[in-house]
Amino acid sequence: AKIEIDNLYSDDMYVEYQEISEKEKKESIFPVERMRLDVKNIKSFAASLTDSLSINASFKVFDLVPIILSIKESYRDTLNGFLMKVNTLPVRLNDLNETLFPLTGVKAKNGSLDSLNLDVRGNDDYATGKSRMYYRNVKIQIFNQKDRLKQSLLNKMISGIANTFIIGRNKKGKVYPLFFERVKSKSFVNFYIKTALNGILSGLGLPASKDKQRKYLKNNPNLKLIQ
């Protein structure tokens, strides 16, 4: 069908996103409440080189985390390139453990997130960008990535090093690189969510995004890094 809509606006929406983690097969539910959505330039035909889909939204995840989201995606880019900006307002990190832990393998013992700013460029293959977090009194626990119900002695040592030498020294919002490879069998919504979650980990100084990016580009020599 040929569709052309200049502007679509919705207010006070409720959306529920569900995902089953690949390792523990545990279902996680992301309730998105109070969503205000503004979508511009919706087209299914005759898109020009300068045409882009524009999405601006504000909402609360778990009715706890206020988020402002902006996405622009080109219609004519064969790699489905997009720009994404995410900004959050203050929240207690340990309030999110029950849902976020199965997806990340990282649990917050305590601490407050004052703000998170993500600036991302992505395409159909991966997302890269910068993450900056401002937080207070954060302590985390890193669990075994193969069995996230266990925390080995090595995991405890890595957690201690991260808390002391990375998180403890990044109270002024140091900028960290972000990189996430898309799982092609998952939806674009999954891609956006996982990129944002990796932005949180990157904002805490974890994991080694540059190493992941370098390895990915080495295994895909024909791809060029998004500028």
Side-chain angles (χ1 to χ4, degrees):
K2 291 185 177 182
I3 300 173
E4 185 171 5
I5 303 173
D6 290 334
N7 182 261
L8 175 64
Y9 181 80
S10 299
D11 197 9
D12 199 22
M13 296 173 62
Y14 176 82
V15 179
E16 198 170 88
Y17 174 77
Q18 299 177 345
E19 180 176 335
I20 298 177
S21 59
E22 296 180 3
K23 295 182 179 179
E24 291 83 13
K25 304 303 179 184
K26 182 178 179 181
E27 183 183 60
S28 295
I29 298 175
F30 293 78
V32 179
E33 303 183 65
R34 307 178 193 179
M35 174 182 277
R36 178 174 294 175
L37 182 66
D38 189 7
V39 186
K40 292 182 173 66
N41 198 28
I42 302 171
K43 284 188 174 184
S44 65
F45 71 103
S48 70
L49 291 174
T50 58
D51 269 341
S52 295
L53 176 69
S54 174
I55 302 173
N56 290 286
S58 62
F59 49 88
K60 278 192 171 185
V61 180
F62 318 110
D63 203 24
L64 291 170
V65 189
I67 294 177
I68 300 171
L69 172 69
S70 175
I71 300 174
K72 286 190 175 182
E73 184 164 348
S74 171
Y75 281 111
R76 295 287 296 272
D77 186 347
T78 57
L79 292 177
N80 298 318
F82 67 89
L83 302 175
M84 181 171 73
K85 293 182 181 292
V86 178
N87 297 286
T88 69
L89 299 177
V91 64
R92 290 198 318 170
L93 285 175
N94 52 354
D95 287 339
L96 310 181
N97 281 335
E98 183 178 351
T99 301
L100 299 187
F101 171 67
L103 299 179
T104 63
V106 177
K107 184 179 291 185
K109 293 179 65 176
N110 58 265
S112 298
L113 170 64
D114 293 328
S115 68
L116 167 68
N117 307 112
L118 301 182
D119 196 342
V120 178
R121 291 177 178 267
N123 56 31
D124 203 39
D125 298 307
Y126 66 92
T128 184
K130 297 178 180 179
S131 173
R132 171 176 280 176
M133 284 179 65
Y134 295 88
Y135 50 78
R136 291 174 285 119
N137 305 318
V138 171
K139 296 289 183 182
I140 65 170
Q141 293 174 294
I142 301 172
F143 286 75
N144 194 316
Q145 293 299 310
K146 293 182 179 180
D147 184 357
R148 289 177 178 167
L149 298 178
K150 297 181 180 179
Q151 189 184 36
S152 66
L153 177 60
L154 179 60
N155 295 143
K156 292 179 180 179
M157 291 175 61
I158 295 174
S159 299
I161 292 172
N163 286 323
T164 303
F165 297 102
I166 300 176
I167 296 173
R169 296 182 178 181
N170 182 25
K171 298 178 180 179
K172 296 183 179 180
K174 181 178 178 181
V175 176
Y176 280 98
L178 178 156
F179 180 84
F180 180 71
E181 180 182 353
R182 181 178 183 179
V183 180
K184 292 294 184 67
S185 60
K186 301 284 188 177
S187 70
F188 72 94
V189 177
N190 173 275
F191 188 26
Y192 293 155
I193 290 175
K194 289 294 185 65
T195 298
L197 290 177
N198 274 264
I200 293 175
L201 298 182
S202 295
L204 292 170
L206 304 167
S209 293
K210 285 187 176 180
D211 292 339
K212 289 186 176 182
Q213 178 176 291
R214 191 180 300 112
K215 182 178 179 180
Y216 178 79
L217 293 176
K218 182 178 180 180
N219 292 334
N220 299 273
N222 295 325
L223 291 178
K224 293 184 179 180
L225 183 62
I226 301 172
Q227 300 295 327

